Amino acid sequence: AEVDQGKFYAPNFDVLYDSPLYLGNQKIIEFQELEKKITLSIATPEGLDQKKFVDDLRKILRSTTKLMQHIPFNDYTFIMMEPGGGGLEHWNSQAVFTYGSFNFENDRAYKRFLNFLTHEYFHLYNVKAIRPIELGPFDYSQENYTTMLWVAEGFTVYYEYLIMRNAGLLTANEVLEFLSSHIKAIENKSGKDHMSLERSSFDVWNYFLNNDAISAETTISYYQKGPVMALLLDIAIRNESDNENSLDDVMRYLYEEFYRKQGRGYTENEFWDSVTKMAGKPQEELRKYVESTGSPDYEKYLKLAALSLDRSSADDEKTELVEKQYDLIKVVPENDLQLKIRKSLLQEN
Ligand SMILES: [Zn+2]
């Protein structure tokens, strides 16, 4: 917090370490949303349509609050830096690299950028507030191992799309396209047969950013399989609860129970217990898909939401040498519940 002009105060080391400083002549934009002060700090604003961009961010903030029903900050800053890759979430800011300007090559590139900002923003909830118990308070002197990054990162990827959809910034078909891209990434590599999702989380200290050819065939990424498991879990919970509950309820429960009430992270078993609570019964088969190698039974779960995986080009022998397509498509529902689940999941009327 700023206590005086240019004087800042942090109550402890964790807060200090979580508070980036960005010095330069960046463009500053301030506005109120959700009765909070929002600041944009943009290093390369060329091509910026300020009104549209601020409007789009407002929609993202509102739709995230609608999902989580609570805001854990008084002020929040989007620190948008020079061109580069990646970003980092903080308690009241995100520091992200950008495209270097707002002249995106097309609408899809702009939407990807908004997805990315949504991702870092949702981390405020899923990883800062809702966190695996191993991830804080930190012992900064050694690595912190957890099996749950598939939830912390993977679910955050999944919610990029749902929040953007709810904000009216993605169509239902675009949500399906983004989700399909993750299935394609997993199924085109043999890494899925050698590493489980849990292991990809636990081993991240050994291979993160090690993108060589061998690791692509021996490891999987929780950024890819995580959102796919989120989709299957979401469908399973909706199916078991007659579409009364969803993965949203799991997120809200974890937030209320462990972050707000108990002020701590959740354990692996507590995560699965919260799934059981919302589904009404344990989801052992899906848990097995997280803990073991191989592919999940996609069709079994997708069908429950009147969806299917189009593998027509994937099964075409002629396409053997190119990346195979796995497209999520809508199919004719077998009953009202399946249609209801698809409509509420994709937020279609
Ligand atoms: Zn992330």
Side-chain angles (χ1 to χ4, degrees), residues 87 89 116 119-120 123 126-127 152-154 156-157 160 222-223:
E89 66 280 1
F116 171 47
H119 179 101
E120 301 304 337
H123 266 322
N126 189 30
V127 100
E153 284 298 345
T156 302
V157 173
E160 283 174 37
Y222 46 77
Y223 286 97

Side-chain angles (χ1 to χ4, degrees), residues 83-103:
L88 203 57
E89 66 280 1
H90 303 283
W91 268 114
N92 64 349
S93 69
Q94 58 176 265
V96 295
F97 287 102
T98 63
Y99 283 75
S101 88
F102 279 79
N103 296 316

